[in-house]
Amino acid sequence: MGSDAAQSTAAAEESLRKHDKRDFASEAVSAQSDTILSRLSQSRRSSRATLDGRSARYEEERPPLPPRPTNLDLLGQNIKGSTLQIPKRPARPQLQSYATTAVSRTDIETLSFPDGSRETYANSIKSGKSFRFDSPIGHLRSRNNTSDGDDSASLKSSAPTTGGEVESLLGDIIGAGQQSPAWRLLSGHTERSDPFDLLPYDDEEPKADFSREFDELDELDSSGDNEEELLNLWRSKRKHFLILSSAGKPIYNRHGDDNLISGYIGVIQTIISFYEGAQDQLSSFSAGSARFVIMTRGPLYLVAISKLGENDVQLRVQLEALYMQILSTLTLPTLTHLFSNRPSTDLRRPLQGTESLLSALADTFTRGSPPTLLSALECLKIRKSHRELISNAMLKAKCDSLLYGLMVAGGRLVSVIRPRTHSLHPSDLQLIFNMLFEAGGVKAAGGENWIPMCLPGFNKNGYLYMYVSFLDAHDDEKEDNEQSTIDVTTKEEQVAILLISANKESFYDLRKMRDKIMEELEKNGSMSVIKSAVLRGRPSATDIVPGTVLQHFMYKSRGNLQYVMPTYEPHFMTLLARRKLLSLYHTLHSSVHAKMAHLKVHHCVSRDFVSLAWITPLFELYCVAGPNSSRNALAQSANKVVQWVRREEERVFIIGGAVF
């Protein structure tokens, strides 16, 4: 037993020693673990502090977000290398890279009132269509899409159709959109019988002064006390024509005498000479609201100064007409001879007595001249059968020395007979009509006249001789007082027979021919037809196209060099209204005939009018309507005018004429 107790005690002590070792190892491991955890904790706090610092710096230096993609259709496409298919969503309205008014789903309308005030309001667009300027002609066109493939689309132009389809004129813009709500609301506030009388020019002169545009200026006093007043009146004129020689000698000026404007003439001559000395010919320049155009013809300088908005080409045509008027008096060889022998020749003496012709032509350009603008003639509207009777009567009475025979009524051609190998140039006829119906000198002489005249379009080197006899368009109830009848007859009612010959001794032969013509016309009733047509005058626009929105139009036949237009009444009764109408026609004409322009249709919309220019190889059409007229109505009216001219072509134009 003793040995057993000893063994038990030894085993217990051994077990206790093992347990103490185990506890010591456990405490050592625990202490080591605490040390490691403490170090890890410190490392984590240090890392967290570092990350917090970096995060703060990142927040301070964060770059801007990239722009959102504008083409959301990409979301509906398959991603390369992925089988994930994202369903398509409705695309947002695509941004447009060209000029547009579709800035949002809300369209902004602007309403203008007669007093000049304006008001804008939002108009919701339900159709989602956008509008853009598709061409430089200044109107809006509706489009269903904004693809770049249609960027070249513009107004369509095609040959006129007899069916009267609006599509043949303006294509699909007619049905694209009608008047906006603002425009329709504006039409209820604007009731203007003649908006052209209310449309001011760009200069500061009051519109009432245009009626005094053609008043003659008083002469300069010997003391010069009224010089400042006369210069102010001279500057107030909207248009001037000056003609001077290369030596600086004044030849003609429309307003004021030479003593008054000698300083201006000297300045102009100095400027022209300066550019010629530099081998750089001066053609035109602007000074304020005035446009200066210079044309050199041999030893002459012709200058036009205009504030009426005409372009250089149109002013050059007018200067060319003034030069032709000088040649019609002197002929080109005479003019060249005068200045070749003596460059400082005073040309006013050879031209003495013809100043009224130059002034009448200049005033015609200031008032506005459709024949000059269109380079065409206007004919009296009568039946083709009646015109043939008149032509046959003139051919039947023709004498051997006759070169041209014309019957003219109020500046409109009734009939013409000519040689088969010759034709009259429109510029020559314009000079003849200016002499007969504008200057008044020939008509004041009454009865019959024998006039030597050079027709530059026919031959610049020699004279022709013209027999002129005026007839009375009224009934014969005033035959007992012929001079009184002449005085009351207006320019539009004057009828004349013109017989032109190259033989200066053919006066009596042409008088006999005139008597035979009158006898034949009275016998077949043609004289009464001419008188009725003259007294009836031009038809109105509503007579030509019933119910039309057009207030006026001009139609030119390009093949015949002739034009037709309605009466100015009732919309253009005043001189100012007619001048502004012709200024509008000048603007339309220059827009479609510019060198770099390729327009066939030009549609212009403003607060006071709506206008249209339509150009084809066969004709030119310029028309004006009121400010509230829609594009649809304007296009339909233009097509109806073309159809009317086609039906009445042999009445309103002289096709071919009579030849011998």
Side-chain angles (χ1 to χ4, degrees), residues 196 198-207 210 236 238 287-291 306-310 576 579-580 583-584 587 607-609:
F196 284 82
L198 304 178
L199 184 63
Y201 280 112
D202 293 335
D203 59 335
E204 299 177 355
E205 300 297 331
K207 65 179 182 180
F210 190 78
S236 68
R238 289 188 173 88
S289 60
R291 185 65 178 173
S306 176
K307 300 179 182 178
L308 299 178
E310 298 157 298
L576 179 65
R579 173 62 251 189
K580 290 176 179 177
S583 296
L584 175 59
T587 302
R607 185 184 64 182
D608 297 289
F609 57 83

Side-chain angles (χ1 to χ4, degrees), residues 182-369:
W183 193 272
R184 290 194 296 268
L185 183 59
L186 177 63
S187 63
H189 294 275
T190 56
E191 295 294 339
R192 299 178 179 178
S193 58
D194 192 356
F196 284 82
D197 278 334
L198 304 178
L199 184 63
Y201 280 112
D202 293 335
D203 59 335
E204 299 177 355
E205 300 297 331
K207 65 179 182 180
D209 284 351
F210 190 78
S211 61
R212 304 179 57 185
E213 177 75 17
F214 311 101
D215 294 348
E216 298 294 339
L217 299 182
D218 297 333
E219 293 184 0
L220 184 65
D221 293 341
S222 57
S223 60
D225 295 337
N226 61 343
E227 181 178 4
E228 188 65 27
E229 179 184 357
L230 293 179
L231 283 176
N232 290 333
L233 291 175
W234 186 82
R235 296 189 193 100
S236 68
K237 303 296 183 181
R238 289 188 173 88
K239 197 164 188 177
H240 297 271
F241 290 100
L242 306 175
I243 303 177
L244 59 151
S245 66
S246 56
K249 290 278 188 177
I251 297 173
Y252 169 79
N253 59 84
R254 175 58 190 94
H255 302 291
D257 57 16
D258 297 337
N259 296 327
L260 179 65
I261 62 173
S262 58
Y264 291 97
I265 293 178
V267 170
I268 292 176
Q269 199 272 339
T270 302
I271 295 175
I272 296 174
S273 300
F274 174 79
Y275 277 88
E276 286 188 345
Q279 303 298 322
D280 185 11
Q281 186 175 0
L282 179 63
S283 59
S284 62
F285 63 92
S286 296
S289 60
R291 185 65 178 173
F292 290 72
V293 174
I294 298 100
M295 186 178 73
T296 303
R297 287 292 181 270
L300 302 183
Y301 294 146
L302 298 97
V303 182
I305 308 172
S306 176
K307 300 179 182 178
L308 299 178
E310 298 157 298
N311 63 14
D312 293 0
V313 175
Q314 294 161 354
L315 291 175
R316 289 184 188 281
V317 171
Q318 299 172 17
L319 292 176
E320 186 71 28
L322 291 176
Y323 176 67
M324 292 297 178
Q325 183 66 64
I326 294 177
L327 290 185
S328 69
T329 304
L330 298 178
T331 72
L332 183 60
T334 302
L335 180 65
T336 305
H337 177 73
L338 288 173
F339 283 94
S340 61
N341 294 335
R342 187 180 178 186
S344 60
T345 298
D346 188 357
L347 202 60
R348 288 176 295 183
R349 182 173 298 176
L351 292 176
Q352 188 175 6
T354 63
E355 295 88 351
S356 60
L357 299 177
L358 292 169
S359 297
L361 196 59
D363 291 346
T364 299
F365 299 149
T366 303
R367 285 191 296 267
S369 174

Side-chain angles (χ1 to χ4, degrees), residues 385-434:
S385 57
H386 294 157
R387 203 183 305 275
E388 289 178 347
L389 285 176
I390 298 171
S391 299
N392 291 334
M394 298 178 70
L395 287 173
K396 185 177 179 180
K398 182 185 76 67
C399 63
D400 295 337
S401 59
L402 180 71
L403 182 60
Y404 294 108
L406 302 92
M407 179 165 284
V408 187
R412 289 173 288 171
L413 200 58
V414 180
S415 180
V416 57
I417 60 174
R418 60 179 179 83
R420 190 177 300 274
T421 57
H422 297 286
S423 61
L424 275 172
H425 197 276
S427 62
D428 291 339
L429 288 177
Q430 183 181 12
L431 296 178
I432 295 174
F433 294 166
N434 175 69

Side-chain angles (χ1 to χ4, degrees), residues 471-486:
L471 311 175
D472 183 17
H474 294 278
D475 295 333
D476 296 333
E477 58 186 23
K478 295 185 179 180
E479 289 183 355
D480 55 341
N481 191 352
E482 181 179 355
Q483 185 62 41
S484 175
T485 302
I486 292 176

